[in-house]
C-alpha cells in the first residue's frame, strides 16, 4: 500500500544514498539536546548552510559568502535543487 510514510521513507533513503545526512526531526528540534535550528520557523539548518557555503566556495571572500547567505535567507534568491 502506498502511503505518505512509504513515500517519505523512500525519498529519505534516496537522499542518504546520494550522500545527504538525515536528521530525524525531534532529534534536532530547538528543544532537543542537539538543536540544529533556533525555531521551527527556520526552513534551512542555518549553521550547516553556512558551512556548506564555505566548503563549496573556499576562494570566495567571507563577505561574499555572508551576502549570499543573507540573500537566500531573505528569499531574495531562489534555491534550485
Amino acid at each position: 500500500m502506498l502511503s505518505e510514510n512509504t513515500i517519505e521513507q523512500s525519498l529519505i533513503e534516496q537522499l542518504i544514498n546520494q550522500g545527504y545526512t538525515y536528521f530525524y526531526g525531534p532529534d534536532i528540534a530547538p528543544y532537543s539536546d542537539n538543536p540544529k535550528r533556533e525555531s521551527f520557523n527556520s526552513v534551512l539548518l542555518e549553521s550547516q548552510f553556512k558551512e556548506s557555503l564555505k566548503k563549496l566556495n573556499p576562494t570566495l571572500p567571507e563577505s561574499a559568502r555572508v551576502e549570499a547567505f543573507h540573500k537566500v535567507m531573505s528569499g531574495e534568491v531562489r534555491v534550485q535543487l
Side-chain angles (χ1 to χ4, degrees), residues 46-70:
E46 295 178 19
S47 60
Q48 282 81 0
F49 181 51
K50 287 178 183 177
E51 290 172 23
S52 294
L53 282 173
K54 189 171 186 173
K55 180 180 178 182
L56 295 170
N57 303 283
T59 60
L60 218 56
E62 178 65 18
S63 60
R65 287 193 298 265
V66 168
E67 181 181 350
F69 174 81
H70 288 296

Side-chain angles (χ1 to χ4, degrees), residues 3-62:
S3 67
E4 180 180 350
N5 185 55
T6 303
I7 295 168
E8 180 179 353
Q9 294 307 313
S10 176
L11 180 57
I12 290 169
E13 184 178 324
Q14 288 177 39
L15 291 171
I16 290 171
N17 289 336
Q18 292 177 25
Y20 288 88
T21 302
Y22 170 73
F23 296 106
Y24 179 60
D27 292 344
I28 61 169
Y31 55 78
S32 72
D33 292 336
N34 185 31
K36 298 286 184 187
R37 63 181 74 207
E38 292 182 19
S39 75
F40 285 113
N41 293 331
S42 300
V43 176
L44 292 175
L45 302 180
E46 295 178 19
S47 60
Q48 282 81 0
F49 181 51
K50 287 178 183 177
E51 290 172 23
S52 294
L53 282 173
K54 189 171 186 173
K55 180 180 178 182
L56 295 170
N57 303 283
T59 60
L60 218 56
E62 178 65 18

